[in-house]
């Protein structure tokens, strides 16, 4: 049985109440990309400043449920200031985390591994137990990925 | 009156005992089903009728000669007659078309009656509080024929703003309105609006999805021309709906989908459509579902629709009062706050908590409510809302359901506050 506390970890609620890197960047020069989840009406707009292969700044606006909005905020702190390869790797790793199936490893060990790999982002790991909410958690990440692809082309 | 005290004359406890799904436990708690607006639960009698049909009497309907084929046909047609009686159709069973659901009923209306009777220069007048089922088919018709689709606005009081009705009615050939909003709970004055629309020569269609099954609906007394509704919102099964149409109008309508069952003759050159309701029911119809719907109608008739309406009114009044008392504005009701012309659908805007999070927390308490735009996006935009969390009652609901709802809402507020 999935517990509400697995979904709404304190870090998630904190990022929902006080989102980090909230706002806009002048675009241009920043790249602007919008994401939308038609099922829930969740919306995010991501602004990206990329210089010399580094994501020098990121800001987000949008509205939606606590999962979509806290995931945006957590993402921004995880990728800001990072080289683009690291950003891409983090996106891939996070999406993997959101598709992870029930494993046989005991939960404590898995939590510890997640924490080492993901830091604060690990708080979102519980979302996989609530399949309908995975789309909420991945919205900002897919939007960021799309933005990076647009920049690359 | 103490919260939880039951004063209506209606024996909700007995009704609850007739609904097997109410014995379910969700997350370790008894289910609190507050999503009847989306779909109602079924009675034992409905489920049993369908099982018995499949166990003993199943065969395809019409043109059969053997005994079970005749029985299946009688069962299917018997349901049609029961539905006609239930809504007091003046032309009885010859006016009841079985569809898949309310949505298909509106598509039939737009794509058959609309396509032949409406064109450029004509207007379909709907309202800003319609479900997409009574919006999109008209937009599709507009693309095909150039008909104009016009909206009666909704006022800040969550009711239709009829200030400019005379102007809005200009060139209107069809007024198509919901009997009750599935978001606001607002009930519209169908009879009065129908009389006004008729006076300018328009026909009147009503979305009865949230009406039928929650109170008496009498198409003769309402003096309307079309009524659409779904079996699954009135204790019946999914997969069957109704379009009732006045016989004089129905006779002017061509067929809908083509295939078996809807023809009088087919040659190498073409086809002749069947007469009567058959020409709208191509292919093997939802026979078991019709049997289930018949059982639902019988059950509701047994309760008495006046009693059902009074019971749900009582529940709504109690819930509105307790929401106000308990939360003092932190939980806002998106809809009328009194029970005059209002039904048991209560949309909530919970301070600081997104509707999806509300529904998620409530699920932990076994409470089933629906978050989202409820397929009424123009209405949601009107009130600047992306979504609400909606609780809705059925004949089996009780004040204890509301008590659990309040407890769970309190928890959601605490968690996110
Ligand atoms: C007012 C109203 N109209 C139409 C519908 C569509 O019903 P169905 O999905 O059964 O076609 C609904 C149900 O959601 C409704 O509430």
């Amino acid at each position: 049985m999935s517990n509400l506390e697995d979904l709404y970890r304190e870090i998630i609620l904190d990022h929902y109440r006080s989102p980090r890197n909230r706002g806009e960047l002048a675009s241009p020069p920043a790249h602007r990309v919008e994401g939308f989840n038609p099922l829930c009406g969740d919306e995010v707009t991501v602004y990206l400043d990329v210089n010399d292969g580094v994501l020098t700044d990121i800001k987000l606006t949008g509205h939606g449920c606590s999962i979509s909005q806290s995931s945006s905020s957590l993402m921004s702190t995880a990728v800001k200031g990072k080289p683009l390869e690291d950003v891409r790797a983090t996106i891939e790793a996070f999406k993997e985390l959101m598709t992870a199936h029930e494993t046989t490893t005991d939960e404590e060990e898995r939590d510890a591994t997640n924490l080492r790999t993901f830091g604060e982002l690990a708080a979102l790991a519980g979302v996989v137990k609530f399949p309908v909410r995975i789309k909420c958690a991945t919205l900002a990440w897919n939007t960021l990925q799309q933005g990076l692809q647009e920049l690359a082309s | 009156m103490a919260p939880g005290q039951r004063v209506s004359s209606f024996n909700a406890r007995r009704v609850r005992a007739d609904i097997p799904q109410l014995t379910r436990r969700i997350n370790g708690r008894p289910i609190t089903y507050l999503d009847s607006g989306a779909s109602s639960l079924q009675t034992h009698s409905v489920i049993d009728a369908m099982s018995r049909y499949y166990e003993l009497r199943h065969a395809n309907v019409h043109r059969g000669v053997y005994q079970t084929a005749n029985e299946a046909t009688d069962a299917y047609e018997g349901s049609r007659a029961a539905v006609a009686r239930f809504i007091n159709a003046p032309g009885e069973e010859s006016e009841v078309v079985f569809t898949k659901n309310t949505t298909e009923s509106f598509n039939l209306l737009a794509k058959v009656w609309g396509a032949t009777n409406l064109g450029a220069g004509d207007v379909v007048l709907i309202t800003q509080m319609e479900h997409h089922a009574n919006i999109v088919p008209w937009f599709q018709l507009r693309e095909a024929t150039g008909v104009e689709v016009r909206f009666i606005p909704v006022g800040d009081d969550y009711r239709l703003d009829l200030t400019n009705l005379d102007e809005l009615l200009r060139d209107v050939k069809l007024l198509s309105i919901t009997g009750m909003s599935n978001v606001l709970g607002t009930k519209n004055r169908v009879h009065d609006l129908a009389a006004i629309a008729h006076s300018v020569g328009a026909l009147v269609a009503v979305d009865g999805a949230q009406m039928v099954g929650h109170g008496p609906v009498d198409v003769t007394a309402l003096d309307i021309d079309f009524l659409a509704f779904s079996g699954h919102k009135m204790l019946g099964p999914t997969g069957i709906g109704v379009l009732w149409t006045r016989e004089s109008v129905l006779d002017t309508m061509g067929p809908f989908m083509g295939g078996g069952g809807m023809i009088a003759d087919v040659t190498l050159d073409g086809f002749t459509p069947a007469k009567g309701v058959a020409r709208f029911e191509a292919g093997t119809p939802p026979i078991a579902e019709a049997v289930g719907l018949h059982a639902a109608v019988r059950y509701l008739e047994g309760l008495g629709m006046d009693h059902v309406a009074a019971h749900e009114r009582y529940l709504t009044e109690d819930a509105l009062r307790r929401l106000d008392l308990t939360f003092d504005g932190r939980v806002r009701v998106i809809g009328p706050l009194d029970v005059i012309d209002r039904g048991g659908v209560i949309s909530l805007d919970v301070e600081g908590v997104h509707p999806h999070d509300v529904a998620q927390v409530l699920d932990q308490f076994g409470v089933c409510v629906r978050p989202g735009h409820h397929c009424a996006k123009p209405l949601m935009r009107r009130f600047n809302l992306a979504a609400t969390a909606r609780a809705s009652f059925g004949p089996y609901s009780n004040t204890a359901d509301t008590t659990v709802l309040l407890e769970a809402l309190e928890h959601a507020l605490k968690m996110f506050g």
Side-chain angles (χ1 to χ4, degrees):
Chain A
M1 189 48 43
S2 320
N3 250 316
L4 219 46
E5 285 68 32
D6 289 338
L7 184 64
Y8 299 121
R9 302 267 168 88
E10 199 43 54
I11 296 171
I12 293 182
L13 294 176
D14 176 53
H15 276 260
Y16 176 56
R17 291 187 196 110
S18 14
R20 324 292 199 267
N21 299 303
R22 188 121 186 127
E24 301 178 8
L25 294 172
S27 105
H31 186 68
R32 180 180 185 278
V33 56
E34 286 177 24
F36 187 57
N37 177 357
L39 214 64
C40 317
D42 292 339
E43 275 175 30
V44 331
T45 305
V46 182
Y47 298 85
L48 305 170
D49 260 343
V50 174
N51 294 293
D52 300 327
V54 174
L55 181 58
T56 44
D57 203 0
I58 177 169
K59 289 235 185 288
L60 297 116
T61 60
H63 59 82
C65 67
S66 62
I67 302 302
S68 72
Q69 300 306 301
S70 64
S71 183
S72 310
S73 174
L74 282 158
M75 177 185 82
S76 71
T77 58
V79 299
K80 189 172 162 176
K82 296 273 167 65
L84 290 188
E85 335 165 11
D86 291 4
V87 174
R88 287 198 192 95
T90 309
I91 294 172
E92 286 309 323
F94 182 77
K95 287 173 86 164
E96 181 58 31
L97 181 70
M98 288 296 108
T99 49
H101 300 293
E102 283 303 318
T103 54
T104 48
T105 55
D106 74 289
E107 295 216 359
E108 260 175 52
E109 189 187 313
R110 199 181 49 211
D111 284 355
T113 314
N114 280 341
L115 200 59
R116 270 197 305 280
T117 322
F118 291 102
E120 276 203 325
L121 275 181
L124 285 162
V127 174
V128 277
K129 293 185 193 164
F130 297 82
V132 292
R133 307 303 294 274
I134 291 174
K135 276 205 169 67
C136 311
T138 52
L139 175 65
W141 297 81
N142 286 326
T143 311
L144 172 61
Q145 191 170 43
Q146 189 194 328
L148 293 180
Q149 276 161 7
E150 286 170 7
L151 276 170
S153 61
Chain B
M1 167 200 338
Q5 193 179 324
R6 212 183 51 73
V7 296
S8 89
S9 63
F10 180 85
N11 191 341
R13 190 170 314 145
R14 209 152 72 212
V15 181
R16 289 178 87 77
D18 290 333
I19 309 280
Q21 200 173 312
L22 289 176
T23 61
R24 275 272 328 244
R25 296 180 76 82
I26 307 283
N27 292 324
R29 303 189 49 143
I31 191 171
T32 296
Y33 190 77
L34 289 171
D35 199 19
S36 298
S39 200
S40 62
L41 301 178
Q42 283 68 40
T43 60
H44 275 297
S45 63
V46 168
I47 299 160
D48 291 350
M50 293 175 75
S51 299
R52 271 200 309 277
Y53 166 76
Y54 273 130
E55 282 161 9
L56 298 172
R57 291 192 297 166
H58 175 67
N60 212 329
V61 292
H62 303 138
R63 299 171 309 280
V65 172
Y66 54 90
Q67 181 155 341
T68 52
N70 287 332
E71 287 174 9
T73 304
D74 288 349
Y76 183 66
E77 294 304 327
S79 176
R80 197 194 302 280
V83 167
R85 242 185 352 262
F86 190 56
I87 58 171
N88 196 25
E92 301 175 356
E93 64 269 24
S94 53
E95 297 181 334
V96 171
V97 177
F98 281 136
T99 61
K100 195 167 62 183
N101 48 34
T102 306
T103 304
E104 189 176 287
S105 297
F106 273 110
N107 277 276
L108 199 174
L109 175 58
K111 287 165 175 67
V112 175
W113 183 84
T116 37
N117 289 282
L118 306 173
D122 294 329
V123 174
V124 176
L125 181 60
I126 63 179
T127 84
Q128 207 176 2
M129 65 168 80
E130 296 310 312
H131 186 283
H132 296 161
N134 189 23
I135 302 176
V136 180
W138 303 117
F139 282 160
Q140 290 176 309
L141 185 68
R142 181 173 70 185
E143 282 167 24
T145 69
V147 69
E148 185 190 332
V149 183
R150 203 178 277 165
F151 289 82
I152 302 176
V154 175
D156 290 339
D157 58 354
Y158 303 110
R159 297 190 185 278
L160 292 181
D161 176 358
L162 302 171
T163 324
N164 295 319
L165 187 60
D166 287 348
E167 234 165 276
L168 288 169
L169 277 167
R170 196 166 307 144
D171 300 320
V172 167
K173 294 291 183 306
L174 180 75
L175 172 70
S176 189
I177 56 168
T178 189
M180 179 176 127
S181 162
N182 65 317
V183 178
L184 307 172
T186 305
K187 284 183 184 169
N188 294 315
R189 297 270 174 100
V190 170
H191 174 267
D192 298 356
L193 290 166
I196 295 168
H198 283 153
S199 74
V200 301
L203 295 190
V204 178
V206 173
D207 181 344
Q210 299 291 338
M211 259 175 121
V212 182
H214 298 280
V217 175
D218 179 331
V219 294
T220 306
L222 288 172
D223 196 24
I224 57 178
D225 306 291
F226 305 94
L227 178 71
F229 56 100
S230 296
H232 70 96
K233 292 185 199 274
M234 49 181 289
L235 312 183
T238 57
I240 189 161
V242 172
L243 179 65
W244 166 80
T245 312
R246 210 177 266 294
E247 198 168 12
S248 55
V249 179
L250 192 118
D251 284 345
T252 69
M253 289 164 61
F256 184 31
M257 287 185 283
M262 51 70 72
I263 52 94
D265 195 15
V266 181
T267 65
L268 290 180
D269 295 321
F271 75 99
T272 316
K275 292 215 179 316
V277 290
R279 73 183 178 285
F280 306 105
E281 296 179 1
T284 300
I287 311 166
E289 289 77 3
V291 168
L293 180 59
H294 191 168
V297 164
R298 232 184 254 132
Y299 187 87
L300 287 167
E301 280 173 340
L303 296 181
M305 292 316 293
D306 283 322
H307 289 131
V308 173
H311 177 64
E312 291 188 23
R313 190 181 315 117
Y314 166 70
L315 292 178
T316 307
E317 191 164 28
D318 170 72
L320 291 172
R321 196 193 63 241
R322 283 202 277 157
L323 280 163
D324 182 42
L325 277 177
T326 313
F327 298 112
D328 196 24
R330 284 177 305 152
V331 175
R332 196 160 61 100
V333 172
I334 309 297
L337 293 175
D338 55 66
V339 289
I340 300 160
D341 290 337
R342 193 208 203 288
V345 164
I346 304 180
S347 262
L348 303 173
D349 184 28
V350 181
E351 196 177 86
V353 196
H354 190 275
H356 282 89
D357 294 317
V358 172
Q360 190 85 61
V361 175
L362 265 52
D363 174 59
Q364 203 66 23
F365 289 74
V367 177
C368 313
V369 300
R370 187 149 296 251
H373 53 62
H374 316 296
C375 298
K377 291 197 94 171
L379 179 69
M380 302 299 283
R381 284 217 174 82
R382 160 70 181 82
F383 291 104
N384 272 321
L385 294 161
T388 68
R390 181 189 72 182
S392 49
F393 295 122
Y396 38 75
S397 304
N398 63 10
T399 53
D401 290 334
T402 303
T403 305
V404 184
L405 171 70
L406 297 178
E407 179 197 350
L409 284 171
E410 194 111 55
H411 189 83
L413 277 164
K414 214 174 290 159
M415 195 158 173
F416 285 87

